[in-house]
Amino acid sequence: MTQRPERADALRNREAVLAAADALFASSSSPHGVSMDEIATAAGVGKGTLFRRFGDRAGLIGAVIASRLEPLKRDVMEARETPGSAPRQRVLDLLDASLRFKIANRNLMSAAEEAGISSPYRADHYGWWHDMLRSELGGVPTVHDPDFTAHALLAALRADLVAHLIDERKMTPEDLRSSLAAYVDNALGDGSGQPLSGPGHPAR
């Protein structure tokens, strides 16, 4: 059965809701400080429209994240197709892109974690980052379990941790990105194709 195209007014309402929610989360001082009532008012729609369209608060937050991620996903896919970049560098670039997204959208991403859509492992956006990262890690000689390593590296980018380090520990985004790069370099080995010492890998 062919899916019917979305009505123009429904599409306008959807875009208005996503834009309103995005703006409110960006300006809020707390990830749980944005209510469905506030979003509906800012978007100029009834609260019932939000629930009919998105199901619940978690569904709405997930839709906002998806809309914000679309241009970044396109950039990531284009970068992957650029010849000459090594898998190790692409791993760092992927994680840096994810971190910059978390920094810019930390209230929104923290709200996603609090709403339970980011368990985080069942969330669509998490699955996408994990798949991309696992694929690149498969080309890094020092990585013996790309699936686990992708999960472990993404754990360092939890939205609540990013928010804590920036908003409470007062780390600058530049310092956080630098710390992430050093952490990734240490986790992947010394860059010579030799793994770091540890269980199963005696010190050289």
Side-chain angles (χ1 to χ4, degrees), residues 159-202:
D160 55 355
L161 175 59
V162 171
H164 171 72
L165 292 175
I166 289 181
D167 298 330
E168 297 185 36
R169 297 295 296 274
K170 305 304 179 186
M171 283 187 74
T172 67
E174 292 75 19
D175 286 344
L176 191 50
R177 291 175 65 194
S178 178
S179 294
L180 174 66
Y183 172 74
V184 173
D185 193 55
N186 184 64
L188 298 187
D190 63 7
S192 66
Q194 296 297 321
L196 292 178
S197 61
H201 303 295

Side-chain angles (χ1 to χ4, degrees), residues 24-199:
L24 286 169
F25 277 111
S27 62
S28 175
S29 60
S30 169
H32 47 74
V34 179
S35 70
M36 295 288 271
D37 285 324
E38 289 175 306
I39 295 171
T41 299
V45 302
K47 187 176 178 181
T49 298
L50 268 63
F51 287 102
R52 285 193 301 271
R53 186 59 193 261
F54 301 101
D56 55 16
R57 189 169 184 268
L60 174 55
I61 291 171
V64 176
I65 292 172
S67 69
R68 290 300 304 268
L69 268 176
E70 278 308 311
L72 179 56
K73 284 183 176 181
R74 289 194 296 269
D75 290 344
V76 166
M77 297 306 293
E78 288 175 6
R80 292 187 79 200
E81 296 171 1
T82 301
S85 59
R88 184 187 179 93
Q89 183 60 48
R90 291 199 296 269
V91 167
L92 179 57
D93 290 344
L94 272 170
L95 289 167
D96 184 64
S98 180
L99 176 60
R100 285 186 285 110
F101 184 84
K102 292 286 184 73
I103 291 172
N105 300 280
R106 56 189 180 277
N107 277 343
L108 176 64
M109 299 306 294
S110 292
E113 290 178 358
E114 290 184 358
I117 68 168
S118 212
S119 39
Y121 313 109
R122 292 202 272 292
D124 289 341
H125 60 271
Y126 182 92
W128 184 82
W129 282 113
H130 181 269
D131 288 346
M132 293 295 101
L133 194 55
R134 179 183 58 193
S135 175
E136 299 298 352
L137 286 166
V140 179
T142 54
V143 175
H144 300 283
D145 188 342
D147 187 80
F148 172 81
T149 303
H151 283 302
L153 291 173
L154 288 172
L157 302 181
R158 278 188 58 93
D160 55 355
L161 175 59
V162 171
H164 171 72
L165 292 175
I166 289 181
D167 298 330
E168 297 185 36
R169 297 295 296 274
K170 305 304 179 186
M171 283 187 74
T172 67
E174 292 75 19
D175 286 344
L176 191 50
R177 291 175 65 194
S178 178
S179 294
L180 174 66
Y183 172 74
V184 173
D185 193 55
N186 184 64
L188 298 187
D190 63 7
S192 66
Q194 296 297 321
L196 292 178
S197 61

